[in-house]
Amino acid sequence: GRIRLLGVWQQGPHRQVVLGAGPHWVVLGPGAHLAQEGYRIQAVGPDVVELQASKGRAPVHVLRLEGVVR
């Protein structure tokens, strides 16, 4: 299913993301793997997460918080 960025949680210098797919959600930090989807979390920003494919040389997949106006 489609992965959505539901939120970014920051505690001190550390950021974690809340990712959702369908009715499921999970809290993960940089370097964590989304095994089922085949991605690794490369970087977390204030309102963005970069996912790198675990296999191959696919481009980085960028997810932004929905509803955020820059």
Side-chain angles (χ1 to χ4, degrees), residues 13-69:
H14 307 289
R15 285 192 187 116
Q16 293 185 303
V17 292
V18 183
L19 297 177
H24 308 288
W25 58 273
V26 65
V27 178
L28 296 169
H33 289 270
L34 287 87
Q36 196 169 353
E37 289 83 6
Y39 287 108
R40 182 180 67 83
I41 296 177
Q42 181 171 305
V44 178
D47 59 357
V48 67
V49 61
E50 296 178 2
L51 303 176
Q52 178 68 57
S54 299
K55 296 175 183 161
R57 295 187 171 269
V60 171
H61 191 64
V62 177
L63 297 178
R64 297 191 180 280
L65 265 180
E66 294 174 15
V68 173
V69 178

